[in-house]
Amino acid sequence: MVTLGVDLASQAKKTAACRIRWDGGSADVECLRIGLDDPALLDLFGHPDTGPDKIGIDAPFGWPGDFVQAIQEHWNSMHWPSIDRVDVSRLRLRRTDRAVKKKVRLTPLSVSADKIAMTAMRAARLLAKVHDDGEDVDRSGETCRFVEVYPAAALKRWGLPFKSYKGKGPDKADKRDNLVCDLAKETGLNLTDKVRSGCRESDDKFDALVAALVTRAAAIRCCEPIPDEDREHAAKEGWIALPRSDSLARLATDSRQSRCWASGH
């Protein structure tokens, strides 16, 4: 199996990607790059028959349904929903954001009220191009190659530091180095000097690597299932693949078929 993790940003210079090949209880990083524009990312996505088996993107795949409806009604008739301060989260957070907040006690950035919206627009542009080229895209991530990931939530779920590694300076680099070593030990990842130095120098590259690990968890069905009552919303708003707490050690050893998503089970 080959997984691709993308730490997407609104600009190419901060966009990183990591490609991992999983084989026989171990894993090799085949690519760890930064500074990726849309054509470079689409090239990494490749064709569904020959490209990565599963692709995880750290960016929202949609907007809250209540927010979309509110904007449309306001556009058409100046109407705005009468909700109090307690319920305003329905406009700020998607169903999946609220689920992550409940399960992990970590609140994803609001795609309707934060700068992450610019990154979401880029994700929408990329997925639209993939769709226009003939590949099915399911925003829930269940029945296609693409899945939404959230590295910080995954690290927290795995019991690892999820805040203090971001930023510049030797202390931050050391924390990323320790983290990537811990991840390699748990997953069977062959940690080369090039990969290790790449993660030391850039938290974007490190997040791309984590995204590739979460993508593997999604591909082998080691993430929390989408509740039946949220399935319709997930197909429109997107759904964050949240790995199970015991999934890290299973990433290299699980022997299920690499394209298990293709059959929908």
Side-chain angles (χ1 to χ4, degrees), residues 223-245:
C223 289
E224 298 289 347
I226 301 174
D228 289 340
E229 63 270 21
D230 290 330
R231 197 166 296 278
E232 182 178 351
H233 290 273
K236 295 180 178 180
E237 297 183 348
W239 193 266
I240 295 168
L242 184 64
R244 299 192 187 109
S245 57

Side-chain angles (χ1 to χ4, degrees), residues 121-141:
M121 290 179 194
R122 189 179 180 200
R125 184 172 71 238
L126 288 164
L127 294 178
K129 180 63 169 65
V130 169
H131 180 269
D132 290 346
D133 286 345
E135 183 174 354
D136 289 337
V137 176
D138 168 21
R139 276 174 276 190
S140 75

Side-chain angles (χ1 to χ4, degrees), residues 3-26:
T3 62
L4 180 71
V6 178
D7 181 44
L8 195 68
S10 59
Q11 300 295 321
K13 66 180 180 179
K14 290 281 288 178
T15 298
C18 178
R19 177 183 168 113
I20 299 179
R21 182 174 297 275
W22 304 84
D23 186 22
S26 65

Side-chain angles (χ1 to χ4, degrees), residues 128-258:
K129 180 63 169 65
V130 169
H131 180 269
D132 290 346
D133 286 345
E135 183 174 354
D136 289 337
V137 176
D138 168 21
R139 276 174 276 190
S140 75
E142 286 196 314
T143 61
C144 75
R145 285 199 300 160
F146 296 87
V147 65
E148 182 180 338
V149 299
Y150 183 16
L155 289 171
K156 188 172 184 183
R157 176 53 73 92
W158 289 330
L160 296 169
F162 62 96
K163 287 183 179 179
S164 58
Y165 68 88
K166 286 185 176 288
K168 298 180 179 180
D171 58 328
K172 303 294 185 180
D174 287 343
K175 288 177 180 178
R176 288 193 293 273
D177 190 48
N178 291 333
L179 270 172
V180 78
C181 288
D182 288 342
L183 290 170
K185 188 183 302 182
E186 289 289 332
T187 62
L189 183 68
N190 295 319
L191 192 58
T192 65
D193 290 341
K194 184 177 181 180
V195 171
R196 188 168 177 174
S197 62
C199 290
R200 280 188 61 88
E201 73 184 23
S202 167
D203 55 46
D204 299 311
K205 287 183 178 180
F206 175 77
D207 278 346
L209 184 143
V210 176
L213 299 180
V214 180
T215 303
R216 166 71 171 176
I220 62 174
R221 298 294 189 253
C222 282
C223 289
E224 298 289 347
I226 301 174
D228 289 340
E229 63 270 21
D230 290 330
R231 197 166 296 278
E232 182 178 351
H233 290 273
K236 295 180 178 180
E237 297 183 348
W239 193 266
I240 295 168
L242 184 64
R244 299 192 187 109
S245 57
D246 64 347
S247 62
L248 195 58
R250 296 178 57 185
L251 298 188
T253 59
D254 196 293
S255 60
R256 275 174 279 185
Q257 292 297 314
S258 62

Side-chain angles (χ1 to χ4, degrees), residues 18-117:
C18 178
R19 177 183 168 113
I20 299 179
R21 182 174 297 275
W22 304 84
D23 186 22
S26 65
D28 295 298
V29 175
E30 297 183 328
C31 167
L32 183 60
R33 297 169 54 191
I34 196 168
L36 301 169
D37 58 14
D38 286 9
L41 286 174
L42 292 168
D43 184 60
L44 286 172
F45 294 169
H47 188 276
D49 292 334
T50 57
D53 296 281
K54 196 77 172 174
I55 300 167
I57 302 178
D58 180 13
F61 280 12
W63 279 259
D66 288 321
F67 172 75
V68 173
Q69 183 176 352
I71 292 297
Q72 186 173 8
E73 291 182 3
H74 186 263
W75 175 272
N76 291 331
S77 64
M78 285 297 295
H79 173 75
W80 193 253
S82 299
I83 58 176
D84 59 29
R85 188 177 297 274
V86 174
D87 291 332
V88 75
S89 65
R90 287 167 33 203
L91 301 182
R92 294 182 55 254
L93 301 176
R94 301 169 296 160
R95 290 287 185 101
T96 185
D97 299 327
R98 298 200 291 271
V100 167
K101 181 179 180 180
K102 181 178 180 179
K103 288 180 177 294
V104 190
R105 297 182 183 273
L106 191 63
T107 306
L109 293 175
S110 167
V111 66
S112 60
D114 208 304
K115 290 181 180 180
I116 193 69

